[in-house]
C-alpha cells in the first residue's frame, strides 16, 4: 500500500517537473552554452593566433591567460566574478556573470585545441600559399584555418559537450538554469534522488543530440579526405 | 633576367651557401644538380625568399634585393618579389581541401582578385594543358602523384610568373609516373618558359636544359651546357658525382 502511494507520488513529481526543467534547459542551459561557446571560440582563436604569432609580448599575454584559467577551478572563477567583483564596485548580473565566466574558461581550453590544430598542418601548406603570392593573413585564412578546422572538430565537440554539463555550475551563482530548477523543486518535494536523476537524464539528452551533430559535421568536413 | 651575386645562406652555425654567383637568361631552362646536402634546394628557395639569404644580392625581373645581416626586407617587398616566381614542390603541396580546379583558381581569385568566371576559364585551360581536364573536380587525395604534380605545375603557371622554380619535382613519384611530369616540363621549356629545376633526373637535364649547374658544398663547382657538363667535364668532383649516379 505504502509503496504504491510513494510510487504514485514519484511519478507525479517526475511528470510535473520534467517540463519546467526542460524549459529551463531550453531557456537557459542551451543559450548559455551556445553564447559562451561561440564567444569562447573567438577568444580561443585570437589566443591561439597570439601564441603562434612569434610576437613575444602577445605570446606572453596569451600564455599567462591560459595558465591562470586552466590552473584554477571554474567554480572559483564564477564566484570571483559574481560574488567577488561587487566588493570593488563591479556588479554583474547572474546570467552575464555566467556567460563571462564560461567564455573565459572555454576560450583558454579551446585556444590550445586550435593552436595544436594549426600546428598540425604541414609547413608545406604555408609555403604553397606563399608561393602563389599570399600574405601570412591570406595563407592563414584560405589555406591553414580551413584544414585546421577539420582537425579540431572532434576535440572542440568534446569541449562543447563538457560546457553543456559545466553550465550546471551556474546554479551556484543563482542562474535559474536547469539544475537550479531541479534544486528548487527538490527543496519543496524532498525527492533529491528522483529530481537529480531527472536532471542528469535531460543533460544526457542534450549531449546525445550534440554528439550526433558532431558526427554530421565531421562527415561534411571529411569530404576531401580519401575514403 | 635573374642575376645572383655573392649569395650566402647560413642556418645557425652552418653555412649552406658560400657565395653563389649565377646568371639565368630569359627563356632558359637551368638544371641545378649536385649531391644531397650540397645546397641546391636552399639556393632555389632563396630565389622566391622561402629562405631569406644571409648576404648577397638577387636581381629578378623588376626587382633587385640586397641582403645584409640583420637587416630584414619588408614583408611587402618580399611578397612583390615572390609574386614574380612560381614554385613546384617535391611533395606537391596541393591544397587538400580544394579540388584540382580550385587549387589553380585560388591565386587568381584571392591573390589577384580576378573575376571568378575568368579565373575558372583560365584554370580549365591550364588543366587541359597538363592533360587533366577530366580531373577538374577531383580532390588531391583522389589523384595519383603524377597527376597531383601536374596540377601543381598548373597552379604555379596560373600566376604567370617570370620564372618557374622546380624543387625535385619528380623525386617523390613512382618511377612509372615520372615521365608524365617531365613531359609537361619539357613542353614548357620548349615554349620559352624560364625555369630553374633542381633535379636528379640527368636525362631531363641532358635533353631539356640550356644550362646545367653543378653545386657541391655550397659553391658552384661548374656550369655549362649539358654537353660540357655530362660529356666533357674537367672537374674531379663533377665526374665523381656523375659516376656515382650511373653505378
Amino acid at each position: 500500500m505504502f509503496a504504491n502511494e510513494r510510487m504514485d507520488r514519484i511519478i507525479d513529481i517526475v511528470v510535473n517537473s520534467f517540463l519546467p526543467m526542460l524549459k529551463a534547459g531550453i531557456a537557459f542551459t542551451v543559450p548559455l552554452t551556445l553564447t559562451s561557446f561561440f564567444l569562447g571560440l573567438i577568444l580561443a582563436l585570437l589566443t591561439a593566433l597570439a601564441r603562434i604569432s612569434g610576437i613575444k609580448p602577445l605570446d606572453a599575454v596569451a600564455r599567462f591567460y591560459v595558465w591562470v584559467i586552466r590552473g584554477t577551478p571554474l567554480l572559483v572563477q564564477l564566484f570571483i566574478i559574481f560574488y567577488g567583483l561587487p566588493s570593488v564596485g563591479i556588479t554583474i548580473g547572474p546570467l552575464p556573470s555566467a556567460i563571462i565566466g564560461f567564455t573565459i574558461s572555454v576560450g583558454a581550453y579551446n585556444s590550445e585545441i586550435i593552436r595544436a590544430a594549426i600546428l598540425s598542418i604541414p609547413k608545406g601548406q604555408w609555403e604553397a600559399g606563399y608561393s602563389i603570392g599570399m600574405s601570412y593573413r591570406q595563407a592563414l585564412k584560405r589555406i591553414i584555418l580551413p584544414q585546421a578546422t577539420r582537425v579540431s572538430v572532434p576535440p572542440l565537440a568534446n569541449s562543447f559537450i563538457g560546457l553543456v554539463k559545466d553550465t550546471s555550475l551556474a546554479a551556484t551563482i543563482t542562474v535559474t538554469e536547469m539544475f537550479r530548477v531541479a534544486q528548487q523543486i527538490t527543496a519543496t518535494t524532498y525527492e533529491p534522488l528522483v529530481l537529480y536523476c531527472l536532471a542528469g537524464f535531460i543533460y544526457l539528452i542534450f549531449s546525445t543530440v550534440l554528439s550526433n551533430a558532431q558526427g554530421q559535421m565531421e562527415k561534411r568536413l571529411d569530404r576531401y579526405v580519401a575514403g | 633576367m635573374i642575376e645572383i651575386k655573392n649569395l650566402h645562406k647560413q642556418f645557425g652555425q652552418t653555412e649552406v651557401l658560400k657565395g653563389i654567383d649565377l646568371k639565368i637568361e630569359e627563356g632558359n631552362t637551368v638544371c641545378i644538380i649536385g649531391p644531397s646536402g650540397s645546397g641546391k634546394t636552399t639556393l632555389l628557395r632563396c630565389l622566391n625568399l622561402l629562405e631569406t639569404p644571409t648576404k648577397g644580392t638577387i636581381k629578378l625581373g623588376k626587382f633587385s634585393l640586397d641582403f645584409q645581416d640583420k637587416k630584414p626586407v619588408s614583408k611587402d617587398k618580399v611578397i612583390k618579389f615572390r609574386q614574380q616566381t612560381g614554385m613546384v614542390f617535391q611533395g606537391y603541396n596541393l591544397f587538400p581541401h580544394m579540388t584540382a580546379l580550385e587549387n589553380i583558381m585560388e591565386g587568381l581569385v584571392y591573390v589577384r582578385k580576378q573575376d571568378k568566371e575568368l579565373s575558372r576559364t583560365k584554370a580549365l585551360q591550364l588543366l587541359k594543358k597538363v592533360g587533366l581536364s577530366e580531373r577538374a573536380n577531383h580532390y588531391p587525395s583522389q589523384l595519383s602523384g603524377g597527376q597531383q604534380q601536374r596540377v601543381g605545375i598548373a597552379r604555379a603557371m596560373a600566376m604567370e610568373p617570370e620564372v618557374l622554380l622546380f624543387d625535385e619535382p619528380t623525386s617523390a613519384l613512382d618511377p612509372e609516373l615520372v615521365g608524365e611530369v617531365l613531359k609537361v616540363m619539357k613542353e614548357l621549356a620548349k615554349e620559352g618558359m624560364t625555369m630553374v629545376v633542381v633535379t636528379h633526373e640527368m636525362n631531363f637535364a641532358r635533353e631539356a636544359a640550356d644550362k646545367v649547374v653543378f653545386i657541391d658544398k655550397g659553391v658552384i663547382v661548374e656550369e655549362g651546357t649539358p654537353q660540357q657538363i655530362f660529356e666533357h667535364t674537367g672537374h674531379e668532383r663533377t665526374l665523381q658525382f656523375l659516376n656515382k649516379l650511373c653505378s
Side-chain angles (χ1 to χ4, degrees), chain B residues 119-134:
Chain B
S119 305
R120 183 187 305 275
T121 312
K122 185 170 179 192
L124 283 170
Q125 280 169 0
L126 283 164
L127 269 178
K128 193 172 169 199
K129 189 167 182 169
V130 297
L132 288 172
S133 291
E134 295 98 70

Side-chain angles (χ1 to χ4, degrees), chain A:
Chain A
M1 269 301 278
F2 178 76
N4 242 348
E5 238 169 62
R6 173 110 206 269
M7 213 46 220
D8 287 348
R9 190 176 125 78
I10 288 172
I11 290 168
D12 246 21
I13 291 173
V14 168
V15 169
N16 288 328
S17 335
F18 184 76
L19 271 185
M21 282 170 67
L22 190 64
K23 239 188 196 164
I26 289 167
F28 283 96
T29 303
V30 171
L32 186 57
T33 308
L34 289 178
T35 311
S36 309
F37 196 78
F38 177 70
L39 295 177
L41 216 48
I42 296 173
L43 186 59
L45 179 61
L46 294 176
T47 308
L49 292 181
R51 289 287 319 269
I52 62 164
S53 67
I55 303 167
K56 280 206 174 117
L58 273 184
D59 182 29
V61 170
R63 261 173 206 273
F64 180 77
Y65 158 58
V66 173
W67 173 65
V68 169
I69 299 304
R70 284 204 309 189
T72 54
L74 178 52
L75 187 61
V76 172
Q77 294 161 16
L78 290 174
F79 271 46
I80 290 175
I81 295 170
F82 186 68
Y83 296 114
L85 289 184
S87 66
V88 291
I90 305 170
T91 309
I92 308 168
L95 190 61
S97 288
I99 290 176
I100 293 172
F102 293 135
T103 297
I104 292 175
S105 165
V106 103
Y109 284 97
N110 287 356
S111 76
E112 286 295 282
I113 292 175
I114 293 175
R115 187 174 71 94
I118 291 176
L119 293 180
S120 77
I121 307 304
K123 200 169 136 244
Q125 288 293 312
W126 286 98
E127 292 182 346
Y130 293 150
S131 80
I132 55 169
M134 286 184 168
S135 62
Y136 177 85
R137 190 190 278 258
Q138 285 172 324
L140 183 72
K141 189 173 145 214
R142 295 289 310 169
I143 311 301
I144 304 301
L145 286 183
Q147 296 183 61
T149 303
R150 196 192 131 255
V151 180
S152 58
V153 162
L156 282 180
N158 240 345
S159 142
F160 189 56
I161 291 168
L163 180 63
V164 174
K165 297 176 295 173
D166 281 348
T167 55
S168 60
L169 288 174
T172 64
I173 58 168
T174 76
V175 177
T176 48
E177 47 68 66
M178 184 166 67
F179 189 64
R180 179 89 178 167
V181 172
Q183 283 179 320
Q184 286 166 348
I185 300 174
T186 307
T188 57
T189 58
Y190 308 108
E191 290 289 354
L193 180 63
V194 176
L195 284 154
Y196 294 151
C197 282
L198 185 60
F201 176 68
I202 299 177
Y203 280 114
L204 190 59
I205 295 175
F206 285 176
S207 313
T208 308
V209 171
L210 291 172
S211 298
N212 288 339
Q214 175 201 350
Q216 294 294 321
M217 200 160 159
E218 275 178 47
K219 227 184 256 166
R220 231 181 74 80
L221 288 167
D222 274 351
R223 67 190 183 283
Y224 63 80
V225 178

